[in-house]
């Protein structure tokens, strides 16, 4: 037995290169692995490149050698070195007849080349030929290359072949052809717009793999144009239902979940289709509720499906039962120890609070824990959540936290993002002007170079205009507090340029306005700024203008101006500056100082930055001068349009243009081709080739108004862009918990239970949550609680209300639930019976035409048997008709569908494993361990093989032999 | 859509890199280095997700999983689900394990093209086409068999080296 295994193993390895690559390659990998520095590695790789360059240009290289060289080239390029000299050889390899060489060639070209590379032209022909090959592996390899290497211009060259392959007998080919078509769609939607119906057709494919793959392009199509695909809702729901009921082959089970990846994709599509569409959403409620109940929340993949359900529920038209289930799932995520689940929980919470803001309240402590978590990813996600739930009641806490975090990180990208969020929140919810200015100062101080300059301009305008209130004293108070804070900040070293500009402007406008600071003090500060940041022209320009304003206000007020010596030296410097802008400003300043009070008053009025400057476009003040000139005999001005010469020229030009359009070159763009051609084709093909009259999406692209989920009124408030000073109605505070809402929530909970708890564990979960929560309240230190209270506006007391409602509903829930279970089993029974009467095409969506197009003599059961592997499937379906409640048991008892000699032992051990209650990777480790006994030898063999070949793993990296899953 | 799949070891050596949208080699290296720098700084027992927008541009997420000496990294956009991608990595590694029996880093280094074959069966043009590990294995084995057949005809018999290990 052992020996057989080794032989099998060798066969497997030998066929694909395995260890039979030359010692040279082994040496290369080894020496690179042991390289101590990047420079050493580069040296080794460059040496290898030289060798390869020499070798590949030798005449008559055996194919096997050539294959190895190409793989070594791929390796070299992966390490970041240029291997372009070998591209042509890779291209040549694709022309080879041998499958192995050809595939290697294709692999290399897909990794080396991009769609616009010059060599593509040499491959297109080969691809065309290979797409027609009899060997499906050749076709697959060619399709792979199609995906990567075909660009918009070359699509037409391969499109017909790819479309033909959609009906290929091999499912692997169909799958890849679908993907290639999808790729074409991504690259140039217009080139395949008439073929979009193919995706719908493939959805009905008999192979679940192909169907699952089709969901990818459909997801993209649906996300760009929801309304054309509303008719598919029923089909998607029915597929999802069948998947959830384990009607797919066992091979698609993953960690005891039926085809979870397909479920996820379907839920994503449904979320798009049901968004804001009550009718479509109603079709989905049952199946989504079923999945909520069936999901195994102890495995990673189960949680992935759960998370997707929550996303779906929060996207489709709200349903109270489902929202309840979603909230339950979220609370489980947040309570979990796994950071991954917490992350998903926070994300899901962010989605759900858009619909029901009150659920955030019961998770306040969990959210705060996440905020203080050392995991950066989780922290950021939590900030995202906080950003979404900011209200005027909690804005101060949230923005303070954000700024603290912003100061602590170095990642400029995220710093920018969080700074702009702070600004946005502050502008939207600021409780007071002083606070607002304080926050803005902090943002500018720590991320000034990263925020948009517009933010600074907004702040300037805000300070200048005040807050739109009539109360002038409040405005001037705001200004003087701003001036105070800026004068304080100027003492600090290294202030971002944008912030300095802002400070200069404010000091210039309002520095002396309230009389607290003398002009000489302010001008001194300003010239200090100009001095200290002498390499920043913009800041200097702002400073000079500010100086000019201060002096102008002084002169206008009748005070005597004497310029500080440092100011004077600065001016002298600027008057000779290379920057014309600075020079001009300096000269202006000089001129202003020389004027009398009256003149200065009119050119530089105090606090007039918000006044509109009137521009007399007609230049009426020059009328007198013109009159004078005309009287003196000057020619009056004739507007351009009235000049006779011009008229002729334009006429001539028109004629010329006319002539040009009839012959000669045309400079205007051609008209867009009319859509009629395309819209004419689909009906024709429909009639001739399509069996399934799937509703055809016409190529007309109408832009339907996207409907928005009708959500709580709070959204309307949050989207308002004006700065709000009055308190926004509290959403989570207990003040708004009017008795009416609390009763309604408790009644809704009663009805919910059909969806919710299937097993007792869920129920206990929710009750433990309460205890957990209340216990935690006791333990939690006062600081945290304070934070929670300020964030969420409510306290633990408010939580109790829904909690009691929960308890009351519990006894009734079991009743409802039991009856529901019974009912559902009845449903299954009746369904199975129906299944037997009607031909049970696995993915039959109830389109009668599918059946009628098939030859009537063919037994659909037989068809199924051929297409879907396990015959047990058929048997159990038949058995199900007679003994329906046991259907699940039957499925789990039948051994795995695949019968592959090599790994049948692993498979069978897999199906025997009690893998149910394990999280994520645990299952696989178990599997690996179970096969550990014999396989340890394998690793040893591998080791000895390498030794035999003259390469010994030396001390720096013995880990190369470490099992990944062990 | 999946944007890239990378396998690198704990010392930052790339073992596999596949980008589903074309990027010049230098850019690829830059991204790999950037990702490795982030991965290194991650503590134990934190989530497997990283915000990749600063490295990969807007709408990109990164999921990684650490196996023995290797990091498996998938970069993708909002059309995928993070937890599911984590399981996709698991499927990938399980398939590798089935294929190589107790897969180790060295297997991936030397069977470069086979690893690519497996990956191509799973992810095609940036979309996940197959998620069943046994289906992938079946396809890969069939490819190996057919290749071996064509190999036997056109190339030097493979047995010479294949049997050496006995």
């Amino acid at each position: 037995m052992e020996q057989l295994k080794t032989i099998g193993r060798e066969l497997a390895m030998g066929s694909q290169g395995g260890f039979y690559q030359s010692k040279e390659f082994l040496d290369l990998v080894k020496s690179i692995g042991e390289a101590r520095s990047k420079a050493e590695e580069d040296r080794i790789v460059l040496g290898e490149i030289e060798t390869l360059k020499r070798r590949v240009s030798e005449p008559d290289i055996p194919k096997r050698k050539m294959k190895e060289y190409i793989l070594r080239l791929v390796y070299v390029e992966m390490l970041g070195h240029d291997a372009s000299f070998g591209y042509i050889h890779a291209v040549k390899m694709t022309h080879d007849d041998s499958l192995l060489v050809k595939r290697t060639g294709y692999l290399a070209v897909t990794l080396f080349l991009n769609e616009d590379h010059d060599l593509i032209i040499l491959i297109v022909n080969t691809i065309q030929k290979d797409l027609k090959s009899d060997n499906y592996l050749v076709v697959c390899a060619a399709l792979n290359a199609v995906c990567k290497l075909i660009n918009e211009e070359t699509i037409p060259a391969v499109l017909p072949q790819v479309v033909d392959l959609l009906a290929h007998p091999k499912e692997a080919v169909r799958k890849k052809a679908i993907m290639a078509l999808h790729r074409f769609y991504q690259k140039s939607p217009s080139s395949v717009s008439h073929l979009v119906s193919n995706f719908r057709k493939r959805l009905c494919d008999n192979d679940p793999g192909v169907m699952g793959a089709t969901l990818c392009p459909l997801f993209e199509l649906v996300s760009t144009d929801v309304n054309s695909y509303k008719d598919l809702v029923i089909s998607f729901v029915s597929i999802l239902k069948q998947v959830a009921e384990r009607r797919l082959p066992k091979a698609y089970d993953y960690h005891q979940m039926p085809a979870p990846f397909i479920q996820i994709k379907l839920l994503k599509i449904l979320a798009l289709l049901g968004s804001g569409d009550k009718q479509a959403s109603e079709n989905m409620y049952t199946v989504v509720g079923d999945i909520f109940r069936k999901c195994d929340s102890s495995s990673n993949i189960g949680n992935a499906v759960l998370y997707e359900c929550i996303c779906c529920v929060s996207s489709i038209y709200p349903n109270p039962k489902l929202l309840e289930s979603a909230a339950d799932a979220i609370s489980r995520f947040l309570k979990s120890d796994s950071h991954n689940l917490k992350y998903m929980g926070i994300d899901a919470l962010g989605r759900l609070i858009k619909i029901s803001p009150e659920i955030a309240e019961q998770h306040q402590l969990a959210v705060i824990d996440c905020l203080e978590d050392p995991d950066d990813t989780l922290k950021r996600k939590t900030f995202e959540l906080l950003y979404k739930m900011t209200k005027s009641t909690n804005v101060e806490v949230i923005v303070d936290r954000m700024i603290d975090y912003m100061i602590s990180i170095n990642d400029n990208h995220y710093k920018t993002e969080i700074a702009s969020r702070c600004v946005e929140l502050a502008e939207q919810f600021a409780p007071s002007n002083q606070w607002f200015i304080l926050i803005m100062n902090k943002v500018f101080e720590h991320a000034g170079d990263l925020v948009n300059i517009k933010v600074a301009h907004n702040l300037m305008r805000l300070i200048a205009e005040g807050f739109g209130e009539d109360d002038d004293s409040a405005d001037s108070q705001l200004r003087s507090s701003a001036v105070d804070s800026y004068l304080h900040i100027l003492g600090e070293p290294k202030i971002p340029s944008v912030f300095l500009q802002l400070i200069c402007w404010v000091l210039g406008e309002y520095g002396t306005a309230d009389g607290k600071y003398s002009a000489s003090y302010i001008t001194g500060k300003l010239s200090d700024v100009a001095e200290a940041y002498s390499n920043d022209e913009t800041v200097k320009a702002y400073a000079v203008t500010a100086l000019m304003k201060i002096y102008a206000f002084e002169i206008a007020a009748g005070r005597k101006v004497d310029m500080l010596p440092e100011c004077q030296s600065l001016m002298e410097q600027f008057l000779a500056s290379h920057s014309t802008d600075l020079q001009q400003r300096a000269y202006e300043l000089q001129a202003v100082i020389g004027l009398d009070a009256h003149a200065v008053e009119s050119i530089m009025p105090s606090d007039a930055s918000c006044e509109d400057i009137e521009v007399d476009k007609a230049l009426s003040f020059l009328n007198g001068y013109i009159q004078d000139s005309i009287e003196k005999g000057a020619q009056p001005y004739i507007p351009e349009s009235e000049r006779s010469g011009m008229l002729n020229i334009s006429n001539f030009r028109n004629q010329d243009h006319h002539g040009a359009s009839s012959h000669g070159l045309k400079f205007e763009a051609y008209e867009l081709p009319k859509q009629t051609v395309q819209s004419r084709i689909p009906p024709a093909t429909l009639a001739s080739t399509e069996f399934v009259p799937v509703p055809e999406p016409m190529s007309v692209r109408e832009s339907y108004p996207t409907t928005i989920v009708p959500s709580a009124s709070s959204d309307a408030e949050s989207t308002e862009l004006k700065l709000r000073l009055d308190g926004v109605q509290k959403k989570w505070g207990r003040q708004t918990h009017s008795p009416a809402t609390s009763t309604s929530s408790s009644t809704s909970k009663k009805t919910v239970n059909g969806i919710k708890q299937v097993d007792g564990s869920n129920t206990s979960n929710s009750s433990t949550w309460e205890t957990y929560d209340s216990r935690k309240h006791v333990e939690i230190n006062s600081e945290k609680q304070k934070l929670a209270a300020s964030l969420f506006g409510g306290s633990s007391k408010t939580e109790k209300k829904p909690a009691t409602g929960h308890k009351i509903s519990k006894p009734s829930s079991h009743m409802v639930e039991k009856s529901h279970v019974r009912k559902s089993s009845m449903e299954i029974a009746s369904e199975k019976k129906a299944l037997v009467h009607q031909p049970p095409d696995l993915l039959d969506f109830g389109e009668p035409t599918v059946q009628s197009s098939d030859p009537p003599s063919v037994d659909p059961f037989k068809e199924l048997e051929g297409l879907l592997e396990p015959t047990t499937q058929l048997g159990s379906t038949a058995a199900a008709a007679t003994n329906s409640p046991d259907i699940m048991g039957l499925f789990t008892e039948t051994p795995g569908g695949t019968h592959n000699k090599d790994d049948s032992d692993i498979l069978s051990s897999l199906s025997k494993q009690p893998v149910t209650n394990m999280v994520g990777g645990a299952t696989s480790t178990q599997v690996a361990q179970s096969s550990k006994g014999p396989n340890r030898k394998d690793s040893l063999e591998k080791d000895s093989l390498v030794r035999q070949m003259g390469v010994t793993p030396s001390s720096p990296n013995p880990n190369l032999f470490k099992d990944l899953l062990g | 859509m999946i944007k890239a799949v990378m396998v690198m070891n704990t010392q930052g050596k790339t073992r596999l890199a596949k980008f589903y949208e074309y990027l010049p080699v230098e850019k690829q290296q830059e991204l790999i280095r950037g990702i490795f720098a982030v991965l290194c700084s991650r503590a134990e027992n934190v989530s497997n997700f990283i915000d990749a927008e600063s490295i990969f541009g807007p709408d990109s997420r990164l999921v990684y999983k650490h196996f023995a000496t290797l990091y498996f990294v998938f970069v993708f956009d909002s059309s995928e689900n993070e937890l599911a991608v984590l399981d996709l990595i698991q499927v990938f590694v399980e398939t590798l394990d089935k294929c190589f029996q107790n897969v180790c880093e060295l297997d991936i280094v030397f069977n470069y093209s086979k690893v690519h074959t497996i990956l191509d069966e799973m992810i095609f043009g940036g979309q996940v086409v197959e998620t069943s590990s046994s289906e992938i294995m079946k396809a890969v084995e069939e490819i190996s068999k057919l290749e071996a057949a064509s190999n036997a005809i056109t190339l030097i018999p493979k047995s010479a080296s294949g049997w050496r290990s006995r």
Side-chain angles (χ1 to χ4, degrees), chain B residues 123-140:
Chain B
I123 299 168
F124 194 84
Q127 300 290 337
V128 183
V129 283
E130 187 59 73
T131 48
S132 150
S133 156
S134 55
E135 291 287 317
I136 298 167
M137 271 309 285
K138 243 194 296 179
V140 171

Side-chain angles (χ1 to χ4, degrees), chain B residues 31-95:
Chain B
L31 293 176
I32 290 171
R33 273 197 299 274
I35 288 170
F36 181 68
V38 179
L39 287 181
C40 283
S41 62
R42 302 278 295 170
E44 294 271 324
N45 299 323
V46 291
S47 64
N48 297 67
F49 315 135
I50 296 176
D51 177 31
E53 290 196 353
S54 53
I55 307 171
F56 262 82
D59 192 20
S60 46
R61 302 145 182 225
L62 186 153
V63 167
Y64 72 98
K65 203 162 180 180
H66 189 180
F67 288 96
T69 55
L70 292 179
Y71 286 116
F72 286 77
V73 181
F74 280 48
V75 183
F76 51 93
D77 66 13
S78 58
S79 67
E80 312 283 336
N81 165 328
E82 280 101 332
L83 281 175
V85 172
L86 198 59
D87 267 300
L88 199 64
I89 297 180
Q90 183 70 28
V91 171
F92 182 42
V93 178
E94 271 176 37
T95 314

Side-chain angles (χ1 to χ4, degrees), chain A residues 513-581:
Chain A
D514 61 351
K516 193 171 161 189
Y517 301 103
S518 69
S520 63
Y521 180 72
I522 300 285
T523 50
K525 282 280 180 193
L526 284 170
S527 31
D528 285 349
V529 169
E531 196 100 27
Y533 298 86
S534 56
N535 47 6
D536 191 336
E537 304 264 296
T538 330
V539 170
K540 280 197 283 190
Y542 267 89
V544 175
T545 307
L547 283 173
M548 177 162 70
K549 280 184 200 159
I550 302 277
Y551 287 134
F553 299 154
E554 286 299 291
I555 294 167
R559 281 187 285 266
K560 194 174 163 285
V561 174
D562 27 53
M563 225 184 215
L564 294 173
E566 64 251 45
C567 248
Q568 246 149 7
S569 67
L570 206 64
M571 279 312 117
E572 275 157 26
Q573 191 193 325
F574 288 167
L575 283 171
S577 168
H578 285 299
S579 156
T580 44
D581 178 54

Side-chain angles (χ1 to χ4, degrees), chain A residues 476-628:
Chain A
S476 54
Q477 205 188 346
L478 167 76
R479 288 165 193 158
S480 39
S481 76
V483 169
D484 278 345
S485 63
Y486 291 152
L487 285 173
H488 179 70
I489 285 167
L490 274 182
E492 285 172 35
K494 264 204 93 64
I495 303 169
S497 166
V498 179
F499 195 29
L500 280 171
Q501 295 166 24
L502 172 71
I503 291 175
C504 288
W505 189 86
V506 172
L507 288 185
E509 259 330 297
Y510 303 110
T512 53
D514 61 351
K516 193 171 161 189
Y517 301 103
S518 69
S520 63
Y521 180 72
I522 300 285
T523 50
K525 282 280 180 193
L526 284 170
S527 31
D528 285 349
V529 169
E531 196 100 27
Y533 298 86
S534 56
N535 47 6
D536 191 336
E537 304 264 296
T538 330
V539 170
K540 280 197 283 190
Y542 267 89
V544 175
T545 307
L547 283 173
M548 177 162 70
K549 280 184 200 159
I550 302 277
Y551 287 134
F553 299 154
E554 286 299 291
I555 294 167
R559 281 187 285 266
K560 194 174 163 285
V561 174
D562 27 53
M563 225 184 215
L564 294 173
E566 64 251 45
C567 248
Q568 246 149 7
S569 67
L570 206 64
M571 279 312 117
E572 275 157 26
Q573 191 193 325
F574 288 167
L575 283 171
S577 168
H578 285 299
S579 156
T580 44
D581 178 54
L582 264 182
Q583 218 176 17
Q584 186 184 347
R585 282 170 202 265
Y587 274 111
E588 277 172 11
L589 172 65
Q590 223 175 25
V592 167
I593 288 174
L595 293 172
D596 65 90
H598 178 70
V600 168
E601 173 89 65
S602 58
I603 53 167
M604 263 308 163
S606 171
D607 190 19
S609 56
C610 309
E611 309 288 316
D612 288 331
I613 297 169
E614 278 177 26
V615 178
D616 186 1
K617 276 188 187 158
L619 306 178
S620 57
F621 55 89
L622 286 174
N623 282 350
Y625 176 76
I626 292 168
Q627 208 63 37
D628 276 0

Side-chain angles (χ1 to χ4, degrees), chain A residues 919-947:
Chain A
V919 189
T923 323
S924 58
T925 16
Q926 179 97 2
V927 176
Q929 273 161 2
S930 71
S931 54
K932 201 84 194 172
N935 281 347
R936 176 143 289 167
K937 209 171 164 195
D938 286 331
S939 351
L940 285 174
E941 262 162 27
K942 251 184 231 169
D943 189 293
S944 67
L945 177 60
V946 178
R947 279 168 205 281

Side-chain angles (χ1 to χ4, degrees), chain A residues 830-949:
Chain A
S830 59
E831 230 173 69
K832 292 292 165 189
K833 263 175 208 150
L835 207 74
V836 174
H837 292 308
Q838 288 169 1
D841 191 343
L842 183 78
L843 298 163
D844 171 18
F845 305 128
E847 280 152 335
T849 37
V850 179
Q851 311 300 336
S852 62
S853 65
D854 283 335
S857 58
V858 178
D859 184 3
F861 266 104
K862 286 268 161 58
E863 258 186 357
L864 244 187
E865 198 175 341
L867 288 161
L868 305 170
E869 250 227 35
T871 46
T872 50
Q873 168 94 6
L874 180 64
S876 58
T877 330
T882 53
N883 190 10
S884 51
D886 281 344
I887 179 161
M888 293 307 166
L890 257 172
F891 265 95
T892 43
E893 273 157 35
T894 46
T898 38
H899 298 287
N900 222 310
K901 281 284 180 289
D902 284 30
D903 53 5
S904 62
D905 49 342
I906 295 174
L907 266 179
S908 59
S909 70
L910 233 178
S911 59
K912 274 176 214 152
Q913 286 291 337
V915 273
T916 346
N917 286 326
M918 275 183 222
V919 189
T923 323
S924 58
T925 16
Q926 179 97 2
V927 176
Q929 273 161 2
S930 71
S931 54
K932 201 84 194 172
N935 281 347
R936 176 143 289 167
K937 209 171 164 195
D938 286 331
S939 351
L940 285 174
E941 262 162 27
K942 251 184 231 169
D943 189 293
S944 67
L945 177 60
V946 178
R947 279 168 205 281
Q948 253 177 28
M949 300 191 77

